[in-house]
Amino acid sequence: MSLSTYPVFPEFSGERLDAALSRFTGISRAKCLDLILDGKVWVDGIPASKGSFKIAEGMVIEVDIPAPPSLEPVPTPVPGMNILFEDDDIIVVDKPVGVAAHASLNFEGPDVLGALLAMGVRLTTSGPPERKGIVHRLDVGTTGAMVVAKSEIAYTLLKRAFRDRTVTKIYHALVQGHPEPTVGTIEAPIGRDFRHQWKMGVRDDGKFAVTHYDTLEAMSGGTLLEVHLETGRTHQIRVHMAATRHPCVGDEMYGADPVLSAKLGLERQWLHAVTLGFDHPRTNEYVEFSSPYPADLHHALELMRQGVM
């Protein structure tokens, strides 16, 4: 048994054990509760029995975290994941909603790499085992164009292109209200919001992030934006739009109106990666790929145009 030890600092005093443990370890709160109930968590040397136990400053928490399971991609068919382009070096997919870029400890659904393996696509060996060929990611709830490297040279050069911000990344976002000005740039650092699991926020100690937007269409209660990402931080568009009080429609994690979401039949944020462009890693010619709106976003947009509020 190998224990990880976490002293309780003043800012955690009074917090639930399972919630604090989730923040300490990065493991989901539900899985932290399972560890507590399985007798794998101790507070000041005494086995913990309840996730609701309130911790206090000066306590010491110990937890026996099992070795993580293998995150090697597993071939898993994903209906509706279309191929926009493929050659010996790259494959560009139209990622559906509910699909992660790659396997992770806190998501048990399908992922792009597993879907590609199920299609018989050969993936590069470059990158960590669970992220072979992954050079960028889209959120589980975000749809659209995503590229995966098939060759070693593609992995190296595309990683560099995303790092150097030479990739064209254009999104469409349907947001609540009417942003002013109608064309603008949001520059605000983004970091993890430690009060809420898996949520990001604008933070002084966050990473530099820049989002450019332009109004495509204004309608009653909402605006369709074209968004160009200069950087690629986790949840960047969602966080920046929420910070301007114009969250993506349907994005209840970042403050969207749940009543409006229900009226539109949306169960995720209205955000779609419409265009992805870059210099091809072998030919060095610029290539660009586009993805049409999926059915749920198209339906919600039409309802907004009709004034459903």
Side-chain angles (χ1 to χ4, degrees), residues 231-246:
T231 53
R233 307 305 179 198
T234 301
H235 298 182
Q236 179 172 322
I237 296 173
R238 300 167 65 189
V239 170
H240 274 176
M241 296 318 302
T244 65
R245 299 187 179 180
H246 297 288

Side-chain angles (χ1 to χ4, degrees), residues 91-237:
I91 184 165
V92 182
V93 304
D94 195 358
K95 189 187 86 63
V97 66
V99 179
H102 57 79
S104 68
L105 289 174
N106 292 290
F107 180 70
E108 297 179 353
D111 60 84
V112 169
L113 293 188
L116 293 178
L117 288 177
M119 294 177 183
V121 176
R122 176 188 62 83
L123 300 173
T124 178
T125 57
S126 298
E130 74 278 10
R131 299 198 298 273
K132 294 176 180 176
I134 294 291
V135 292
H136 74 124
R137 291 175 287 188
L138 297 178
D139 296 342
V140 171
T142 300
T143 48
M146 176 180 163
V147 63
V148 178
K150 293 176 61 179
S151 67
E152 282 66 28
I153 187 173
Y155 181 82
T156 299
L157 294 182
L158 285 176
K159 286 286 284 186
R160 183 181 303 166
F162 277 95
R163 181 197 66 197
D164 294 343
R165 305 172 192 163
T166 61
V167 177
T168 299
K169 297 177 286 184
I170 302 176
Y171 294 74
H172 284 183
L174 181 62
V175 302
Q176 294 182 193
H178 305 104
E180 289 291 342
T182 57
V183 179
T185 295
I186 304 168
E187 182 175 328
I190 292 176
R192 188 162 298 282
D193 183 342
F194 293 107
R195 299 168 299 174
H196 305 284
Q197 186 72 12
W198 311 125
K199 190 175 180 181
M200 309 298 287
V202 171
R203 297 174 55 92
D204 290 339
D205 60 351
K207 295 181 179 179
F208 175 74
V210 178
T211 301
H212 307 283
Y213 70 87
D214 190 358
T215 295
L216 293 177
E217 180 181 354
M219 60 205 79
S220 177
T223 306
L224 182 64
L225 301 177
E226 179 170 286
V227 181
H228 293 247
L229 284 185
E230 186 171 320
T231 53
R233 307 305 179 198
T234 301
H235 298 182
Q236 179 172 322
I237 296 173

